[in-house]
Every structure is written in C-alpha cells, then in structure tokens.
Amino acid sequence: MSKILVVTVGSRGDVQPYVALAKGLQDAGHEVILATCGRFAPFVSEHGVPFAPLSDDILLLLDSDEGRSTLDEASGIVGLVKTNIRLVGEAKRINEKLMHDVWQVAEPFAPDLVIYHPKAMAGPHVAEKLGAATVLGLVVPVSVPTGEFPMVGLPALPWGAWYNRFTYKLVEVGYAQYDKIVNRFRRETLGLPEKKGAALTTTLPDGRPIPVIHGISEHVLPRPADWPAHAHETGYWFLDAPDTWSPPAELEEFLAAGDPPVYVGFGSMAGRDPKRITQAVVGALEQSGVRGIIATGWGGMETEELPDSILRITEAPHDWIFPRVAAVVHHGGAGTTAAGLRAGRPTVVCPFIIDQFFWGRVVAASGAGSTPVPQKKVTAERLAAAIRQVVTDDGIRSTAEDIGRRIRDEDGVAAAVEQIEGILARV
C-alpha cells in the first residue's frame, strides 16, 4: 500500500472532511499522515489519524479583532478586494512559514501521494520535489472553471457563461501576488526552478492537469457539463461523531419535552456584533412560535437569559442533532450545509463570508430551503419569516427529505478512495 500525506489549512470546516478522507484511506490499508494547524491536534487524534502540526498563525490572524472585522466585509467583489488588501502582507508571511512547515513534515515521510487543500500552497511543489503523485482535494468548487456558475464568493449575475468563466480568472490574479514567495520556496528550499503561476499551479511537472477531487454531492451541486475529465465529484466526506460521544442530560430532556426544535448555530462566525445576532435569533424563534436550540460554537453568540422554549448549548455533533430537529439555521459553511441536507432538514442559510453565499444560493435553488438571509441583514422579523416558511412549507420539507435520502445513499469517502487509488495505479 501507499504512503499518503494529506495537507489542509484553515478553520474546522477546512479540516474535518480531510480527517474523514484520511480515515477512509487508512481503512483501505494506506499509511496516512494528516498535516494541519496545531490547534486541531486533539480533534484529529481523537479519530485515530496520525497528525503533524503546522503553524496556527493563520487562525490567530482570523481570530483577531482585525481579522474578524476584515472578514465581516468579505462579501461581494468590493469586499473581497478590501479584505485582500488588508491582509495580504501578513498572509504572505504566514504562507511562507506554512510552506516550510509542510516540507518539514513531507521530507522525512517521503509520501507516494500528496493530497492538498488550495490554501496549502506547498502541496504540489513538495510532491514534485519528492516525485510523488498529486491530488487537489476540495469541498468547495473553487478550482475548475465552469460556465454554469461563477467563482465562489463572486456575485451570480445574469450575464451568461462568459461572465462565470471570467470570474475564475480573477482568482488567478489574486493568487499571483503569492507567486514570488512560492517561487522563492521552490528555488531556495526545494532546489526547483521557478514556475509560472506557482501559487495556483494547475499542472503536474509533465504538463498534465492536476487531478481534482471534490467532496461534494451531485444531488446538491450537479457536476458541471463543461468540467474536464480530471475533475471529479465523489459525494460528501462525512466524519461522524465517535461512538463514545453522548449528549448532555439537559439536551436529551429538552428534545423529549416537546415538538422538534429549530437548530440555530453559526460555528466560528459571529461578525462584528454577536449581541445583535443573538437578539435577532432569539426574537425570530419567539416570533415564529417554535422551540429552539442555539449552539454558540466558537463565534461567541451571547446567550445570557433565554426563555424556557430555547436551550443554549456550546456544540453537538451534527450527525447526532440534525436528525432530531425540525429545521436548521446556520452560516452556510460547506460541512454544515452538507450535514443539514443529509439529515433531510429544511435549511435557512445566513451567510457571513465568501463561499457561504454560494451555498445559500445552492440550497435555495435546490428547493430544500429559504432564500438566504445574509447576517448583515438579519433581523428578528426577516429570520422569523424564513423559519416559518421552512417549517410549514410542505414542498420545502418534502424536497429536503428527498435530497437527504439521496445523500445518505452515497459514500463519498469510499468513492474518493477509489478515485485516489486509480490515480496511484496510473503513476
């Protein structure tokens, strides 16, 4: 069997699917190391996957007041440009350190294959140096241009395929500002020649395209007809809670005490004003006449005094709690969106940044949820209207249940492992 290095960088949503993929590869007999930010060591190790730490600096930046404020503006093309300008200097320093961290892990391990997240820029270059195969693993469709929808984070405009394809060129422009540091890493650390478009390289050393595997369900986002043969969709890479997890007694008692509640949770998202968001959520649950569970997560929603009809929790595994609620209200992260749809639950997306707007549109277009309610426009009245719609509209509820059945019939990890083993067999 093969030695496989999986490299990802970012928040919990950028890590969890790759842990699931790593476990699937382990179960198939491969030797796997997952390298990601050191903060996630306990989480990765809990699932029995060998872990190698990378710098936490990117998370520290995003957790800072400056980072939160800047990300709060990252909606629409103007917001994305502002965000890029503000953070690019610090981001270059962070990415240089991350590239060296990846090399420190990869060189002694000597993998046969490197699977990497696009934020882990060192991935394809380290693979080239070691003569390893390369796979770009994605849970958001940000790499392969298509005329069917624009680049994630950019607006969906009625200008047709030419506009959608053009938006992917803008990403190349954004990544180009990192070409210099990536080429310095290639030259000084790896002893490789410089490469055009190094920060967002899409080709192997022999000129063939890097295979791209998307952990996305075709029942949620049908594979674009104009994607090339090297781009694949496998189904979602779900990581269920360990068998050792059990719910707090308070949560079990609340669920048993009445009708299924509506779940509200925004993960690590809170925006500039968590108190405003919390007040809107509580007001919306009360106005819509439903019971609610508010998961405060890591974003800092402030829930001091709540009515008896609303329970506060910190978090609970999505695969456990979502099947037990009437609907889910969340920020639209790729993993949370997938988990809600797998449970067959109607969805309200309140996007904060970038890809969350994309998933909000996708959910609404699928018929499994309401029109998105962006967090900047969240009021108790608007959110209450969306909640009432998804819990009372038979069409939305039926569609959500149907999509859930289809997703549950998939095994995205097994399909991804099959694709990866096929790539290894051709090397």
Side-chain angles (χ1 to χ4, degrees):
M1 288 294 155
S2 300
K3 297 169 69 175
I4 301 174
L5 175 63
V6 181
V7 187
T8 184
V9 173
S11 68
R12 171 77 171 259
D14 296 306
V15 174
Q16 185 162 318
Y18 296 84
V19 177
L21 180 59
K23 280 176 62 67
L25 290 164
Q26 272 189 311
D27 291 344
H30 301 285
E31 183 181 354
V32 182
I33 290 179
L34 190 145
T36 191
C37 300
R39 177 182 301 184
F40 296 107
F43 170 65
V44 176
S45 299
E46 175 187 23
H47 291 278
V49 175
F51 174 80
L54 306 179
S55 169
D56 275 336
D57 286 356
I58 189 169
L59 298 178
L60 296 174
L61 173 63
L62 297 178
D63 288 343
S64 68
D65 290 341
E66 178 189 9
R68 285 181 178 271
S69 175
T70 302
L71 284 178
D72 198 44
E73 296 180 357
S75 59
I77 190 165
V78 174
L80 286 171
V81 171
K82 286 183 179 179
T83 297
N84 186 61
I85 292 172
R86 284 191 188 182
L87 297 182
V88 67
E90 185 67 4
K92 285 183 178 180
R93 181 194 66 78
I94 289 171
N95 277 292
E96 278 202 279
K97 187 174 191 311
L98 280 170
M99 286 189 287
H100 288 280
D101 286 351
V102 171
W103 177 238
Q104 290 300 311
V105 174
E107 185 181 22
F109 183 52
D112 302 300
L113 170 69
V114 176
I115 302 171
Y116 71 101
H117 184 293
K119 281 189 277 193
M121 296 182 190
H125 309 290
V126 164
E128 179 182 347
K129 174 64 176 178
L130 297 174
T134 310
V135 169
L136 175 58
L138 298 171
V139 294
V140 181
V142 295
S143 177
V144 185
T146 175
E148 295 189 15
F149 49 79
M151 174 66 189
V152 167
L154 296 177
L157 300 176
W159 295 346
W162 74 267
Y163 162 75
N164 290 337
R165 285 191 161 274
F166 172 73
T167 60
Y168 292 83
K169 295 292 185 183
L170 298 178
V171 178
E172 294 176 15
V173 173
Y175 264 84
Q177 61 197 323
Y178 297 97
D179 283 348
K180 185 175 180 179
I181 64 167
V182 176
N183 273 320
R184 181 162 63 239
F185 171 70
R186 283 177 62 88
R187 185 178 64 251
E188 297 179 1
T189 302
L190 302 181
L192 295 173
E194 294 190 0
K195 183 174 184 177
K196 184 178 181 181
L200 192 64
T201 186
T202 59
T203 58
L204 298 167
D206 62 7
R208 290 177 298 137
I210 293 174
V212 184
I213 297 180
H214 297 81
I216 302 170
S217 172
E218 64 179 1
H219 302 301
V220 177
L221 185 72
R223 184 184 185 279
D226 58 351
W227 268 4
H230 70 274
H232 311 276
E233 270 190 335
T234 62
Y236 291 118
W237 304 336
F238 286 115
L239 181 71
D240 291 335
D243 294 337
T244 54
W245 190 87
S246 59
E250 184 182 28
L251 175 56
E252 286 194 299
E253 291 167 4
F254 182 81
L255 289 167
D259 293 334
V262 170
Y263 171 96
V264 184
F266 301 128
S268 59
M269 299 287 116
R272 294 180 179 177
D273 192 353
K275 185 174 182 179
R276 177 189 70 83
I277 294 290
T278 306
Q279 289 174 340
V281 166
V282 173
L285 291 169
E286 291 186 302
Q287 288 182 31
S288 56
V290 299
R291 302 197 315 141
I293 292 176
I294 296 178
T296 57
W298 312 275
M301 275 204 294
E302 301 173 4
T303 53
E304 295 179 0
E305 295 184 7
L306 295 173
D308 292 340
S309 60
I310 301 175
L311 176 69
R312 174 199 178 277
I313 64 174
T314 302
E315 62 175 323
H318 292 163
D319 62 289
W320 187 91
I321 197 167
F322 283 178
R324 292 169 167 81
V325 301
V328 293
V329 179
H330 57 72
H331 55 298
T336 309
T337 300
L341 293 173
R342 178 174 68 159
R345 293 302 176 255
T347 299
V348 178
V349 174
C350 300
F352 285 65
I353 60 171
I354 312 174
D355 65 305
Q356 298 165 7
F357 291 88
F358 174 81
W359 293 119
R361 293 196 301 267
V362 168
V363 168
S366 76
S370 70
T371 300
V373 184
Q375 67 90 9
K376 288 185 179 179
K377 298 181 180 179
V378 165
T379 63
E381 293 73 22
R382 291 190 68 180
L383 188 53
I387 291 172
R388 281 194 295 266
Q389 179 187 12
V390 299
V391 298
T392 61
D393 188 309
D394 290 340
I396 289 177
R397 293 167 63 187
S398 175
T399 298
E401 289 171 359
D402 180 61
I403 290 174
R405 282 191 295 269
R406 294 172 183 267
I407 293 174
R408 291 192 297 273
D409 285 341
E410 294 179 320
D411 188 338
V413 169
V417 170
E418 183 178 357
Q419 289 282 351
I420 290 164
E421 290 183 334
I423 291 166
L424 283 165
R426 293 190 294 271
V427 173

